[in-house]
Amino acid sequence: MRSRVTLVLAITAVVLGGVLLVPTAYARLASDDSGGGGGGGTSSVAAPAPTPPPPPTLAAGPVSVSYKGEFFSWALLDRTTGKISGSPNMTATSSTESMIKAWIVSDYLRQLGPKKQPTAALKEAARLAIVDSNDKAANKVHAAAGGSYKPSSSSTPDAVIQRAIKICGLTDTKRGNVAPYTGYWSFTRMSPRDAARVGDCIADGKAAGPTWTKWVLDQMSKVRGTTAAKDQKAESGGGRWGIIDGLPKSITSQGPVSIKNGWTPLNYDGNWHVNCLAVTSKWSLAVMLRYPIRSGLDYGAKVCASVATQLVTPQPGAALKVPQQPVGKL
């Protein structure tokens, strides 16, 4: 009887001991799984969440265009670093045409200072010179800014262009000397490198000054009209095309894109002279072209758009790189 009682008590003790041991064992296993040490098991470490890429922008990169013409050049200025990249001939020059109107307007307004206002007529002329690329309006503003058309044998640009060279740090710009257009603002010779600098100069406030910079950039963002014949007049024309058409919504949605194009079919050399300028808070891009008149204005507009599209970084649809976390042995 006594031995039976002893046996029962022994069995009960084992069972109770087991019950008490289970939570302890579970705790140890849980501790092992969480990397608390001991044991020889392995466990995968969760990969970190992928870092979202920076918003798309324009950045230096290769550009390849199937181009048939006399002159093709482009330059991109990074407004954060000030670095300029572009085609190998980005210092070569061509006539500015109406692209220079953004500078002419800025130069006039800066001279007014913070207290003086333009007349209603001159302010409207400044607006039309940009949004409609109106030549008569630009001529009025150019004269008000101190510009001159007096022909001379001098190679020195007029006062308006000289100030652009000085204020914006231009190095390739010079007076146009094509008879009978010698001295005209539209025949100013400028490189894409200098044109990109002008865009930056307008955006950073040096060109128009603190009072008028926002207004000028706003007008440049409101440029209207297409390359269609119905939008092209003798002394004005639709100018919303080119670089702006090559930018994805992921860039245009970030903020205003201010543009000013220049375009003229010139009989003296049989070429379209087409220039595209666009500037944002991050970059300034200029594309300058000369190609046969028979190719039409659309041809140049598409080349400008293609350059912009190829410089978009990262390219749309580019794979997102996720950092790999190795599986460790714990």
Side-chain angles (χ1 to χ4, degrees), residues 298-311:
D298 268 337
Y299 180 77
K302 289 176 181 177
V303 171
C304 289
S306 177
V307 172
T309 298
Q310 292 180 62
L311 295 174

Side-chain angles (χ1 to χ4, degrees), residues 96-101 104 134-136 138-139 142 148-149 158 161 181 183-189:
T96 61
E97 307 308 323
S98 293
M99 180 176 67
I100 198 67
K101 289 172 181 172
I104 293 172
N134 187 288
D135 291 337
K136 285 186 176 180
N139 287 338
H142 181 258
S148 172
Y149 286 124
D158 78 352
I161 304 304
Y181 308 108
Y184 275 61
W185 49 259
S186 60
F187 282 84
T188 300
R189 304 287 298 187

Side-chain angles (χ1 to χ4, degrees), residues 109-121:
L109 293 172
R110 187 195 65 262
Q111 293 180 65
L112 295 177
K115 297 181 179 179
K116 192 174 180 180
Q117 289 288 316
T119 65

Side-chain angles (χ1 to χ4, degrees), residues 67-71 178 181 187 264-274 289-296 299:
Y67 182 72
K68 294 181 179 180
E70 179 181 295
F71 181 78
V178 178
Y181 308 108
F187 282 84
T264 309
L266 293 171
N267 292 325
Y268 79 84
D269 67 355
N271 286 321
W272 271 103
H273 289 222
V274 173
L289 314 167
R290 292 194 305 271
Y291 58 87
I293 291 176
R294 64 178 179 273
S295 297
Y299 180 77

